[in-house]
Amino acid sequence: MQTYLTETAQKKHYLEIPRLIFDVIFLILLLATTWELIKETNIGAAAMGAVFSALLGWRIYRILQRRNWRMSAAAVDSVLRTFTEEKVPVDRLECLLVKRVPEKSIHAMIEKGYLKNVMYDRKERCLLLHLAPGMRTSGKLIRVVCPNCGAVNQVRQGEQAQCEYCDRPIAEEHGF
């Protein structure tokens, strides 16, 4: 089955958690020392402590952000693997995800190189998938109105389909 994860998203980071724990402990100690320097009115050293604390805090934030992107990319990948269409509305993807992944995060994961073979169409709010040759289905896309809820769906001509919104079967005779 086709995967949408890049090497960056699949790479294991074994030292990430120990490094994160070390950085957090060091940040706490650095903040305590900076606070003592402020109380002693040693402003120059306290300013340096504040700068180092900010840099270390930024490093911790980036580690957590990259970890979140990898986990979210894996969740998005597991849902995208189920699609055989080349166009997936972001709303539909968000409904199928167990963990909420905001649309801007999905866009960031594509730009940062965590998801491959996926493009984000901001105007139509959908993901365009590059499907492997064996995953593509033949037939022209046609628009079909669901007789149950009235929603307009795109389906491949000659294929059985279900409504994207209410999951009821729809047929070609309701097309336009």
Side-chain angles (χ1 to χ4, degrees), residues 5-14 16 70 114:
L5 290 178
T6 62
E7 296 292 324
T8 303
Q10 293 177 0
K11 188 176 178 184
K12 300 286 184 197
H13 295 268
Y14 297 106
E16 186 174 72
R70 280 194 313 276
Y114 287 85

Side-chain angles (χ1 to χ4, degrees), residues 144-151 153 163 166 168-171 173-174:
V144 178
V145 176
C146 175
N148 184 49
C149 69
N153 295 272
C163 177
C166 69
R168 298 287 170 103
I170 51 178
E173 61 263 10
H174 296 104

Side-chain angles (χ1 to χ4, degrees), residues 135-170:
M135 297 284 295
R136 287 198 178 108
T137 54
S138 60
K140 182 176 115 180
L141 283 175
I142 59 170
R143 289 185 176 186
V144 178
V145 176
C146 175
N148 184 49
C149 69
V152 177
N153 295 272
Q154 282 192 332
V155 298
R156 298 232 178 243
Q157 193 170 15
E159 289 186 6
Q160 293 286 53
Q162 287 185 318
C163 177
E164 291 181 27
Y165 304 96
C166 69
D167 286 333
R168 298 287 170 103
I170 51 178

Side-chain angles (χ1 to χ4, degrees), residues 28-108:
I28 291 168
L29 294 173
L30 186 59
L31 288 171
T33 305
T34 303
W35 181 250
E36 289 300 319
L37 290 170
I38 290 171
K39 288 197 301 189
E40 293 174 8
T41 63
N42 190 346
I43 302 302
M48 288 301 293
V51 168
F52 286 130
S53 298
L55 291 173
L56 193 56
W58 179 251
R59 176 180 155 143
I60 291 168
Y61 168 76
R62 292 292 295 160
I63 290 170
L64 292 172
Q65 184 181 44
R66 283 191 292 265
R67 184 173 173 80
N68 183 41
W69 280 345
R70 280 194 313 276
M71 292 169 56
S72 296
V76 169
D77 173 63
S78 66
V79 172
L80 288 180
R81 286 180 184 208
T82 63
F83 288 101
T84 57
E85 308 89 66
E86 294 174 345
K87 194 177 203 181
V88 178
V90 173
D91 296 335
R92 185 171 173 204
L93 177 68
E94 288 175 343
C95 289
L96 296 173
L97 287 169
V98 175
K99 176 187 168 199
R100 187 182 181 293
V101 179
E103 187 173 339
K104 68 179 186 176
S105 293
I106 295 170
H107 185 239

